[in-house]
Amino acid sequence: MTQDNCFEKSSWQNEVIFPDALTLEVSQSYNFPIETVYTALLASGVIAAFDVSKGELCVGNKWYDSIVSPDGNLCEFFGEYLEITPPTKISQTWHFAGWSGVEAVLDTELQTMNEQTTRLSFRYTFRTEEGRAHMIRTDGIEDDLNKIANYLEKIEKDNS
């Protein structure tokens, strides 16, 4: 996937729900054990600014990520890691530079559904309803879930 085509369509099934006025959750299930999905989450580049060699995935560390949207706009995101509990949870603050004053906590959670199935959810809990109202598209979030699925498929193919 190229930087300027960051929202590719996929055949993966993502579930998008709005459990309350402040929350958006996007999930996908994978036919892999939780440890494998957690490894793919980190190795696929979905967790921003994570560099194993520098050990940057630490509570209190700040993160930054940027993408170029299909229409050529630079989109910048940043925050701070709040909780890291391998292999089940990474919690971080989440800010989009284009929305002044909008704050959310992003909880990335992995749940074992059965021995070979793991559910991965990105749950954004905004501080205000006005902040949540900004989040009208989920294509970037779904793209991240699809990146993980593609990474897992590559692992499976390489191991067969």
Side-chain angles (χ1 to χ4, degrees), residues 1 8-12 28 30 32 40 44 142-157:
M1 183 176 311
E8 289 184 4
K9 293 294 180 194
S10 169
S11 61
W12 293 98
Q28 188 174 114
Y30 306 96
F32 290 88
S44 66
E142 292 181 75
D143 185 57
D144 284 342
L145 290 167
N146 296 337
K147 283 180 194 174
I148 294 164
N150 292 332
Y151 189 90
L152 289 165
E153 280 184 342
K154 183 181 180 318
I155 290 173
E156 188 172 52
K157 184 178 178 183

Side-chain angles (χ1 to χ4, degrees), residues 118-160:
T118 301
R119 181 176 181 80
L120 173 62
S121 300
F122 294 129
R123 186 176 62 246
Y124 294 77
T125 305
F126 289 83
R127 191 171 50 104
T128 66
E129 289 183 28
E130 294 77 19
R132 215 298 295 144
H134 279 280
M135 190 72 114
I136 58 172
R137 295 177 56 181
T138 61
D139 49 358
I141 303 165
E142 292 181 75
D143 185 57
D144 284 342
L145 290 167
N146 296 337
K147 283 180 194 174
I148 294 164
N150 292 332
Y151 189 90
L152 289 165
E153 280 184 342
K154 183 181 180 318
I155 290 173
E156 188 172 52
K157 184 178 178 183
D158 289 349
N159 290 335
S160 49

